[in-house]
Amino acid sequence: MEQDAPEMGEIHSRYIGSTMIKAILMTLLVLTILTFVLAFIEEMDDIGRGEYRLLDAFVVALSTTPMFIYDAFPVSALIGSLLGLGALANQGELVAIRAAGVSLRQVVFSVVNAGFILMLLVVIVGDLVAPVTEQYGQRLRLEKQNKQVTFRSRHGFWAKDGNAVLNIKQVRAGGELRNLTVYEFDDQNELRLVTLANEAKYVDPHWQVKFVRQSSISEEEVVTRRLKQANFESLVDPAMLSIAVVKPFMLPVWELYGYIETMKASGQDVSNYAVAFWTKLATPVATVVMLVLAVPFVLGGTRSVSTGQRVFAGALLGTLFYLFSRGFSFLVLVYEWPPILVLVFPVAIFVFAMLFFLQWSRLRSS
């Protein structure tokens, strides 16, 4: 019989874990569907602009869901844990499990292990899937609405507008272009004009291009001329440049770290990228804190607490944490505080809250 106790503990742990996984996945699914519907409704306002159609709006809205899954997982983990543990408590199963010798620590570990398994999947989605789908949806929307074909490669940002093809090596903040080349073709797809420029900036209603070298190509000869400045009425729609600008939150952690090191070496400001880097690292930590925070809320409560009350409590706590962490990241940028505080400070506050409620739960159950 003594040998059966550890096995019974493992069975109880697996049962708690499987219950948590089901509840968290169901919560995440409901929140994701709701967000997708809202995003789709918002995209429908742009239907009819250019070649933007209903199917395009559906695809664009769908492309935002992986990033939402990543961002919303800590809150979903808290609500799902409250629902899962609450169901066990309301049915008396949690009391029976505790009476069978399963300690509070084992319950916490079972909840955290279940959440950690899901967190690994969510991190994969957030770092591998979400950046690709976000960029695809953004590019699809702009291409359909502006009728320009664009894509990124290791050689820079490319855009096609009529018979002209544009290559931009670098897009700086404010929409300033660096090291661009414009290839212009005739109706027979023969290259006729190549324009190289060091920089370009949009000054409504045209582009100001500086340090220009143009080569006119004909069957007989190639004629080259140099200009200090020229104006282009049509180069690329400024709205399309949002595709070329690499947004920090759309990069995986390892790429963010590489960007930060490269930018530091060239003397550039890395504040936005550093904050995004630490925010991404804070997501798994916040998830663990949220999961553990659910345990004393259930064990310290009563069986009469309704499901609606638990959902409300979880949603309120999760929303407070999300708003506080996001708001604090803006404060870090504005006041130029160390970016690592984005990870440490909000999580520390909820860790103290978690320890307080755990101690409270022990006192109530003793």
Side-chain angles (χ1 to χ4, degrees), residues 37-352:
V37 171
L38 294 176
F40 181 53
I41 293 173
E42 185 178 355
E43 290 297 327
M44 289 178 67
D45 292 337
D46 293 328
I47 292 177
R49 290 185 56 185
E51 297 178 354
Y52 200 60
R53 300 292 181 262
L54 183 64
L55 180 59
D56 301 320
F58 180 86
V59 173
V60 171
L62 190 63
S63 70
T64 63
T65 54
M67 186 61 74
F68 173 80
I69 290 173
Y70 179 80
D71 289 336
F73 186 74
V75 177
S76 301
L78 176 59
I79 298 175
S81 298
L82 288 172
L83 286 174
L85 286 175
L88 294 178
N90 290 341
Q91 296 169 11
E93 294 177 276
L94 199 55
V95 175
I97 290 173
R98 294 293 305 281
V102 178
S103 66
L104 178 62
R105 181 178 300 178
Q106 288 176 303
V107 173
V108 171
F109 280 143
S110 300
V111 174
V112 171
N113 287 338
F116 186 72
I117 292 172
L118 292 177
M119 189 66 235
L120 289 177
L121 298 177
V122 171
V123 167
I124 292 174
V125 171
D127 280 339
L128 297 180
V129 180
V132 176
T133 58
E134 282 274 339
Q135 291 181 16
Y136 174 79
Q138 188 179 32
R139 185 174 68 246
L140 177 64
R141 182 197 295 113
L142 291 172
E143 286 179 359
K144 291 291 186 178
Q145 292 180 7
N146 296 277
K147 299 181 180 180
Q148 287 184 319
V149 180
T150 63
F151 68 94
R152 290 181 58 89
S153 73
R154 62 189 181 92
H155 299 293
F157 171 76
W158 295 83
K160 184 178 184 299
D161 185 13
N163 290 338
V165 176
L166 171 69
N167 173 239
I168 306 169
K169 297 296 184 184
Q170 184 181 14
V171 180
R172 292 192 170 184
E176 183 180 335
L177 314 181
R178 289 296 180 95
N179 300 324
L180 59 145
T181 306
V182 182
Y183 304 93
E184 297 184 42
F185 298 83
D186 59 21
D187 294 335
Q188 285 71 43
N189 293 326
E190 296 288 341
L191 183 62
R192 292 304 181 196
L193 183 66
V194 179
T195 303
L196 294 90
N198 286 1
E199 58 184 85
K201 189 171 184 179
Y202 185 73
V203 180
D204 196 18
H206 52 251
W207 288 88
Q208 287 184 354
V209 185
K210 297 181 179 180
F211 307 108
V212 182
R213 186 178 68 183
Q214 283 188 330
S215 298
S216 299
I217 304 172
S218 64
E219 296 180 359
E220 294 79 18
E221 59 181 351
V222 177
V223 178
T224 300
R225 63 171 181 165
R226 297 178 182 271
L227 302 169
K228 287 187 177 181
Q229 183 172 313
N231 292 333
F232 279 74
E233 297 299 327
S234 176
L235 191 61
V236 63
D237 192 317
M240 303 295 289
L241 298 179
S242 59
I243 303 174
V245 177
V246 180
K247 295 182 179 179
F249 285 95
M250 292 172 63
L251 291 173
V253 172
W254 53 89
E255 286 191 23
L256 270 173
Y257 181 79
Y259 261 85
I260 291 171
E261 293 302 310
T262 302
M263 293 173 72
K264 281 182 178 178
S266 60
Q268 300 182 56
D269 180 28
V270 299
S271 300
N272 285 331
Y273 290 87
V275 168
F277 175 78
W278 289 109
T279 300
K280 277 183 170 284
L281 291 183
T283 299
V285 180
T287 300
V288 175
V289 174
M290 292 289 192
L291 288 166
V292 178
L293 193 59
V295 177
F297 259 88
V298 174
L299 296 183
T302 63
R303 291 176 57 181
S304 61
V305 176
S306 68
T307 300
Q309 289 174 310
R310 288 196 173 96
V311 171
F312 177 77
L316 181 61
L317 275 175
T319 302
L320 286 175
F321 180 83
Y322 180 83
L323 293 177
F324 181 73
S325 59
R326 291 293 180 179
F328 189 75
S329 66
F330 288 114
L331 289 178
V332 168
L333 285 173
V334 171
Y335 293 103
E336 299 181 353
W337 293 338
I340 193 174
L341 289 177
V342 174
L343 167 64
V344 175
F345 193 65
V347 172
I349 290 178
F350 273 74
V351 166
F352 284 124

